């Protein structure tokens, strides 16, 4: 598991509009809230994305970009964004390499059935590319406010 003080793994992934977003190009200019979520347009993922989107102006005031990553494709991300009016950036990690690098691709059990999936997790990364907070097994409701409080502490 990644922990505070670790260098954040670099990534290059397509967003909902199929533009490539590189962590290397973002760092230096802004902090990153990188959150991993299981699936577009599901209850918990929608709650988390909407709450984070609702705080985007506040995050931007603290020079922070919010990015959500799942294994859904760009088309799914665009539909999710448009349906809910999301302002967070959604990136498609279809091959799962970034999920593995951040150690969020885990075996999960639901109704007695085991399968692999994304463990809902959030990483707060400072402008130098250092992880300041690593939060695994996130509960969606109220998480955005918790993350914003942590951003205020590092800025």
């Amino acid at each position: 598991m990644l922990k505070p003080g670790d260098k954040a793994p670099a990534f290059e992934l397509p967003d909902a509009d199929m533009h490539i977003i590189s962590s290397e190009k973002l760092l230096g200019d802004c902090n990153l809230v990188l959150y991993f979520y299981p699936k577009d347009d599901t209850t918990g993922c929608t709650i988390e994305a909407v709450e984070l989107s609702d705080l985007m102006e506040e995050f931007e005031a603290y020079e922070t970009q919010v990015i959500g990553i799942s294994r859904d494709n760009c088309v799914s991300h665009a539909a999710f964004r448009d349906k809910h009016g999301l302002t967070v950036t959604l990136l498609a990690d279809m091959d799962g390499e970034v999920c593995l690098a951040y150690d969020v691709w885990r075996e999960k059990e639901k109704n007695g059935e085991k399968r692999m999936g994304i463990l809902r997790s959030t990483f707060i990364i400072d402008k130098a590319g250092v992880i300041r907070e690593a939060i695994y097994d996130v509960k969606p409701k109220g998480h955005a406010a918790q993350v914003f409080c942590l951003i205020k502490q590092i800025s």
Side-chain angles (χ1 to χ4, degrees):
M1 287 177 42
L2 294 173
K3 60 192 178 313
D6 288 346
K7 180 96 171 119
F11 62 84
E12 270 192 6
L13 293 171
D15 68 8
D17 298 316
M18 297 184 210
H19 300 117
I20 299 298
I21 304 297
S22 164
S23 60
E24 299 291 320
K25 290 182 181 170
L26 295 171
L27 294 170
D29 293 332
C30 63
N31 302 306
L32 293 179
V33 170
L34 201 59
Y35 77 97
F36 291 83
Y37 65 98
K39 185 111 180 92
D40 286 342
D41 211 16
T42 56
T43 304
C45 298
T46 300
I47 289 168
E48 185 175 26
V50 167
E51 287 186 4
L52 286 163
S53 290
D54 288 347
L55 290 175
M56 276 309 293
E57 285 184 23
E58 287 87 342
F59 281 114
E60 289 169 355
Y62 282 86
E63 299 177 328
T64 300
Q65 177 140 1
V66 180
I67 297 175
I69 297 178
S70 77
R71 296 201 52 187
D72 296 298
N73 64 36
C74 298
V75 173
S76 176
H77 282 341
F80 181 42
R81 175 196 63 199
D82 296 347
K83 178 179 179 181
H84 297 285
L86 303 175
T87 56
V88 295
T89 300
L90 301 175
L91 301 182
D93 184 24
M94 293 186 307
D95 62 11
E97 286 182 21
V98 178
C99 290
L100 287 172
Y102 279 83
D103 195 26
V104 300
W105 188 245
R106 304 279 183 89
E107 185 175 73
K108 299 166 128 184
E109 187 172 339
K110 185 174 182 180
N111 302 326
E113 184 180 321
K114 291 182 180 181
R115 64 179 182 80
M116 296 300 289
I118 293 177
L119 176 67
R120 190 183 309 276
S121 306
T122 300
F123 300 88
I124 297 175
I125 303 165
D126 67 19
K127 293 176 184 178
V130 175
I131 295 172
R132 300 292 291 271
E133 297 286 342
I135 309 164
Y136 290 92
D137 202 17
V138 165
K139 304 300 177 233
K141 185 89 175 130
H143 182 61
Q146 173 195 11
V147 169
F148 182 62
C149 287
L150 294 170
I151 283 293
K152 289 194 304 189
Q153 292 173 12
I154 70 165
S155 290

